[in-house]
Amino acid sequence: MAEQANKGGTLGFLYHTVPGRILLKLLTARWISKLCGAFLNTRLSKPLIGRFVRSNHIDLSEYESDSFRCFNDCFCRKVKEGGRPIPQDETVLFSPCDGLLSAYRITDDTVLPVKQSAYTIASLLQDETLAKRYQNGVCLVFRLCVNHYHRYCYPATGMKGDNVFLGGRLHTVRPIALEACPVFVENCREYTVIDTETFGQLVQMEVGAMLVGKIQNHHPAGPVTRGDEKGMFLYGGSTIILLLEKDAAPINEAYFTATANGEETPIRMGDNLMA
């Protein structure tokens, strides 16, 4: 479960050999993840918790409970009140989740996250009209590893639209997969458009990953408040994507610089994203 991209290991076999790619078609099928998720929701999965906590150095004292009925209860553990404070200033755009942040400027509707995995905002959203709003805007990608907090919140107050689910496969979101295929346009994902007074119209998207049983968003269309929990991921690595219109918020240049240098920036829910 460690965060590794060893091309000689299991993921290297799956993504860089012919037999591995044949097996990968099975492993990335949604029914496999649903089956795994169903097991992790049962008491039979409880013996997996101890090893998971130890191997990922998780401090359960930070969370509301350290007693779990099943593995997914542990994976979706809720942080204690005040454990992820958000900025009081409503003009500050903050991270909606814990994770590893990459920042990209959207040029000609194209984002180039890593090597061969080029994709367009139109293909990400499967909506060319909506994608045009984010021309010359910003794409923020928060990649969650298994040790991260897997609940996420709204980064701004506003009126959200319907949740739009886009079906697909479920690749891992580790770098080795991102290099091998356009994961973010192949994986199952769900997004909503949020109209805000402070940051214009933004898109918040959740991307599923291998062995993620479910993206669980809480709310239908309607008003939402910054800092309120938007939803959670069940087991697996996962990704949150924010799309911002041109000049919606002055994102800290350090994030773009780190991304250009091939680095992901560790970040926590509530951290200020602005310059």
Side-chain angles (χ1 to χ4, degrees), residues 18 67 88 131 155 169 182 186 197 236 249 254 274:
V18 173
S67 178
Q88 295 298 308
R169 305 196 71 81
E186 290 191 5
E197 291 186 7
M274 295 168 61

mmCIF file with all atom_site columns, all heavy atoms in Angstrom, residues 18 67 88 131 155 169 182 186 197 236 249 254 274:
data_model
loop_
_atom_site.group_PDB
_atom_site.id
_atom_site.type_symbol
_atom_site.label_atom_id
_atom_site.label_alt_id
_atom_site.label_comp_id
_atom_site.label_asym_id
_atom_site.label_entity_id
_atom_site.label_seq_id
_atom_site.pdbx_PDB_ins_code
_atom_site.Cartn_x
_atom_site.Cartn_y
_atom_site.Cartn_z
_atom_site.occupancy
_atom_site.B_iso_or_equiv
_atom_site.pdbx_formal_charge
_atom_site.auth_seq_id
_atom_site.auth_comp_id
_atom_site.auth_asym_id
_atom_site.auth_atom_id
_atom_site.pdbx_PDB_model_num
ATOM 1  N N   . VAL A 1 18  ? 2.541   -6.716 -21.806 1.00 0.00 ? 18  VAL A N   1
ATOM 2  C CA  . VAL A 1 18  ? 1.327   -7.145 -22.508 1.00 0.00 ? 18  VAL A CA  1
ATOM 3  C C   . VAL A 1 18  ? 0.436   -8.007 -21.610 1.00 0.00 ? 18  VAL A C   1
ATOM 4  O O   . VAL A 1 18  ? -0.770  -7.753 -21.498 1.00 0.00 ? 18  VAL A O   1
ATOM 5  C CB  . VAL A 1 18  ? 1.693   -7.900 -23.808 1.00 0.00 ? 18  VAL A CB  1
ATOM 6  C CG1 . VAL A 1 18  ? 0.429   -8.502 -24.441 1.00 0.00 ? 18  VAL A CG1 1
ATOM 7  C CG2 . VAL A 1 18  ? 2.365   -6.957 -24.793 1.00 0.00 ? 18  VAL A CG2 1
ATOM 8  N N   . SER A 1 67  ? -12.744 3.014  17.021  1.00 0.00 ? 67  SER A N   1
ATOM 9  C CA  . SER A 1 67  ? -13.465 1.743  17.047  1.00 0.00 ? 67  SER A CA  1
ATOM 10 C C   . SER A 1 67  ? -14.319 1.660  15.784  1.00 0.00 ? 67  SER A C   1
ATOM 11 O O   . SER A 1 67  ? -15.207 2.492  15.559  1.00 0.00 ? 67  SER A O   1
ATOM 12 C CB  . SER A 1 67  ? -14.357 1.660  18.289  1.00 0.00 ? 67  SER A CB  1
ATOM 13 O OG  . SER A 1 67  ? -15.086 0.446  18.302  1.00 0.00 ? 67  SER A OG  1
ATOM 14 N N   . GLN A 1 88  ? -11.027 31.977 8.113   1.00 0.00 ? 88  GLN A N   1
ATOM 15 C CA  . GLN A 1 88  ? -12.225 32.751 8.423   1.00 0.00 ? 88  GLN A CA  1
ATOM 16 C C   . GLN A 1 88  ? -12.560 33.738 7.320   1.00 0.00 ? 88  GLN A C   1
ATOM 17 O O   . GLN A 1 88  ? -13.719 34.083 7.108   1.00 0.00 ? 88  GLN A O   1
ATOM 18 C CB  . GLN A 1 88  ? -12.029 33.493 9.750   1.00 0.00 ? 88  GLN A CB  1
ATOM 19 C CG  . GLN A 1 88  ? -11.897 32.577 10.961  1.00 0.00 ? 88  GLN A CG  1
ATOM 20 C CD  . GLN A 1 88  ? -13.144 31.741 11.185  1.00 0.00 ? 88  GLN A CD  1
ATOM 21 O OE1 . GLN A 1 88  ? -14.250 32.266 11.237  1.00 0.00 ? 88  GLN A OE1 1
ATOM 22 N NE2 . GLN A 1 88  ? -12.967 30.427 11.316  1.00 0.00 ? 88  GLN A NE2 1
ATOM 23 N N   . ALA A 1 131 ? -16.741 23.541 -20.847 1.00 0.00 ? 131 ALA A N   1
ATOM 24 C CA  . ALA A 1 131 ? -15.279 23.613 -20.864 1.00 0.00 ? 131 ALA A CA  1
ATOM 25 C C   . ALA A 1 131 ? -14.780 24.981 -21.320 1.00 0.00 ? 131 ALA A C   1
ATOM 26 O O   . ALA A 1 131 ? -13.746 25.460 -20.846 1.00 0.00 ? 131 ALA A O   1
ATOM 27 C CB  . ALA A 1 131 ? -14.718 22.519 -21.771 1.00 0.00 ? 131 ALA A CB  1
ATOM 28 N N   . PRO A 1 155 ? -14.971 24.403 -1.051  1.00 0.00 ? 155 PRO A N   1
ATOM 29 C CA  . PRO A 1 155 ? -13.995 25.470 -0.818  1.00 0.00 ? 155 PRO A CA  1
ATOM 30 C C   . PRO A 1 155 ? -14.590 26.869 -0.906  1.00 0.00 ? 155 PRO A C   1
ATOM 31 O O   . PRO A 1 155 ? -13.888 27.856 -0.679  1.00 0.00 ? 155 PRO A O   1
ATOM 32 C CB  . PRO A 1 155 ? -12.981 25.257 -1.937  1.00 0.00 ? 155 PRO A CB  1
ATOM 33 C CG  . PRO A 1 155 ? -13.808 24.732 -3.071  1.00 0.00 ? 155 PRO A CG  1
ATOM 34 C CD  . PRO A 1 155 ? -14.878 23.869 -2.425  1.00 0.00 ? 155 PRO A CD  1
ATOM 35 N N   . ARG A 1 169 ? -13.703 3.443  -16.330 1.00 0.00 ? 169 ARG A N   1
ATOM 36 C CA  . ARG A 1 169 ? -12.954 2.399  -15.647 1.00 0.00 ? 169 ARG A CA  1
ATOM 37 C C   . ARG A 1 169 ? -12.415 2.945  -14.335 1.00 0.00 ? 169 ARG A C   1
ATOM 38 O O   . ARG A 1 169 ? -12.741 4.076  -13.945 1.00 0.00 ? 169 ARG A O   1
ATOM 39 C CB  . ARG A 1 169 ? -11.837 1.881  -16.558 1.00 0.00 ? 169 ARG A CB  1
ATOM 40 C CG  . ARG A 1 169 ? -12.360 1.404  -17.929 1.00 0.00 ? 169 ARG A CG  1
ATOM 41 C CD  . ARG A 1 169 ? -11.353 0.553  -18.645 1.00 0.00 ? 169 ARG A CD  1
ATOM 42 N NE  . ARG A 1 169 ? -11.187 -0.753 -18.026 1.00 0.00 ? 169 ARG A NE  1
ATOM 43 C CZ  . ARG A 1 169 ? -12.005 -1.797 -18.212 1.00 0.00 ? 169 ARG A CZ  1
ATOM 44 N NH1 . ARG A 1 169 ? -13.064 -1.662 -18.984 1.00 0.00 ? 169 ARG A NH1 1
ATOM 45 N NH2 . ARG A 1 169 ? -11.776 -2.949 -17.635 1.00 0.00 ? 169 ARG A NH2 1
ATOM 46 N N   . PRO A 1 182 ? -4.439  8.275  -20.109 1.00 0.00 ? 182 PRO A N   1
ATOM 47 C CA  . PRO A 1 182 ? -5.135  9.476  -19.619 1.00 0.00 ? 182 PRO A CA  1
ATOM 48 C C   . PRO A 1 182 ? -6.170  9.122  -18.556 1.00 0.00 ? 182 PRO A C   1
ATOM 49 O O   . PRO A 1 182 ? -7.377  9.102  -18.793 1.00 0.00 ? 182 PRO A O   1
ATOM 50 C CB  . PRO A 1 182 ? -5.789  10.042 -20.885 1.00 0.00 ? 182 PRO A CB  1
ATOM 51 C CG  . PRO A 1 182 ? -6.006  8.851  -21.751 1.00 0.00 ? 182 PRO A CG  1
ATOM 52 C CD  . PRO A 1 182 ? -4.853  7.916  -21.477 1.00 0.00 ? 182 PRO A CD  1
ATOM 53 N N   . GLU A 1 186 ? -10.521 8.587  -18.363 1.00 0.00 ? 186 GLU A N   1
ATOM 54 C CA  . GLU A 1 186 ? -10.980 7.202  -18.484 1.00 0.00 ? 186 GLU A CA  1
ATOM 55 C C   . GLU A 1 186 ? -11.696 6.728  -17.220 1.00 0.00 ? 186 GLU A C   1
ATOM 56 O O   . GLU A 1 186 ? -12.568 5.876  -17.278 1.00 0.00 ? 186 GLU A O   1
ATOM 57 C CB  . GLU A 1 186 ? -9.803  6.269  -18.786 1.00 0.00 ? 186 GLU A CB  1
ATOM 58 C CG  . GLU A 1 186 ? -9.231  6.443  -20.191 1.00 0.00 ? 186 GLU A CG  1
ATOM 59 C CD  . GLU A 1 186 ? -8.255  5.337  -20.554 1.00 0.00 ? 186 GLU A CD  1
ATOM 60 O OE1 . GLU A 1 186 ? -8.099  4.387  -19.748 1.00 0.00 ? 186 GLU A OE1 1
ATOM 61 O OE2 . GLU A 1 186 ? -7.668  5.422  -21.637 1.00 0.00 ? 186 GLU A OE2 1
ATOM 62 N N   . GLU A 1 197 ? -20.179 33.863 -5.408  1.00 0.00 ? 197 GLU A N   1
ATOM 63 C CA  . GLU A 1 197 ? -19.996 35.307 -5.561  1.00 0.00 ? 197 GLU A CA  1
ATOM 64 C C   . GLU A 1 197 ? -18.527 35.685 -5.536  1.00 0.00 ? 197 GLU A C   1
ATOM 65 O O   . GLU A 1 197 ? -18.116 36.650 -6.178  1.00 0.00 ? 197 GLU A O   1
ATOM 66 C CB  . GLU A 1 197 ? -20.733 36.055 -4.447  1.00 0.00 ? 197 GLU A CB  1
ATOM 67 C CG  . GLU A 1 197 ? -22.256 35.986 -4.537  1.00 0.00 ? 197 GLU A CG  1
ATOM 68 C CD  . GLU A 1 197 ? -22.923 36.859 -3.504  1.00 0.00 ? 197 GLU A CD  1
ATOM 69 O OE1 . GLU A 1 197 ? -22.215 37.614 -2.804  1.00 0.00 ? 197 GLU A OE1 1
ATOM 70 O OE2 . GLU A 1 197 ? -24.168 36.791 -3.401  1.00 0.00 ? 197 GLU A OE2 1
ATOM 71 N N   . GLY A 1 236 ? -9.344  3.202  -1.450  1.00 0.00 ? 236 GLY A N   1
ATOM 72 C CA  . GLY A 1 236 ? -8.476  3.368  -2.607  1.00 0.00 ? 236 GLY A CA  1
ATOM 73 C C   . GLY A 1 236 ? -7.903  4.758  -2.693  1.00 0.00 ? 236 GLY A C   1
ATOM 74 O O   . GLY A 1 236 ? -8.260  5.648  -1.941  1.00 0.00 ? 236 GLY A O   1
ATOM 75 N N   . ALA A 1 249 ? -9.096  33.573 -9.053  1.00 0.00 ? 249 ALA A N   1
ATOM 76 C CA  . ALA A 1 249 ? -8.359  33.653 -7.788  1.00 0.00 ? 249 ALA A CA  1
ATOM 77 C C   . ALA A 1 249 ? -6.864  33.621 -8.106  1.00 0.00 ? 249 ALA A C   1
ATOM 78 O O   . ALA A 1 249 ? -6.431  32.856 -8.969  1.00 0.00 ? 249 ALA A O   1
ATOM 79 C CB  . ALA A 1 249 ? -8.722  32.498 -6.868  1.00 0.00 ? 249 ALA A CB  1
ATOM 80 N N   . ALA A 1 254 ? 3.948   29.254 -6.304  1.00 0.00 ? 254 ALA A N   1
ATOM 81 C CA  . ALA A 1 254 ? 4.809   28.143 -5.881  1.00 0.00 ? 254 ALA A CA  1
ATOM 82 C C   . ALA A 1 254 ? 4.241   26.795 -6.308  1.00 0.00 ? 254 ALA A C   1
ATOM 83 O O   . ALA A 1 254 ? 5.004   25.856 -6.599  1.00 0.00 ? 254 ALA A O   1
ATOM 84 C CB  . ALA A 1 254 ? 4.990   28.169 -4.362  1.00 0.00 ? 254 ALA A CB  1
ATOM 85 N N   . MET A 1 274 ? -4.061  30.595 -2.198  1.00 0.00 ? 274 MET A N   1
ATOM 86 C CA  . MET A 1 274 ? -3.846  31.852 -2.909  1.00 0.00 ? 274 MET A CA  1
ATOM 87 C C   . MET A 1 274 ? -2.485  32.462 -2.580  1.00 0.00 ? 274 MET A C   1
ATOM 88 O O   . MET A 1 274 ? -1.837  32.128 -1.589  1.00 0.00 ? 274 MET A O   1
ATOM 89 C CB  . MET A 1 274 ? -4.980  32.829 -2.572  1.00 0.00 ? 274 MET A CB  1
ATOM 90 C CG  . MET A 1 274 ? -6.334  32.333 -3.075  1.00 0.00 ? 274 MET A CG  1
ATOM 91 S SD  . MET A 1 274 ? -7.746  33.240 -2.446  1.00 0.00 ? 274 MET A SD  1
ATOM 92 C CE  . MET A 1 274 ? -7.432  34.886 -3.073  1.00 0.00 ? 274 MET A CE  1
#
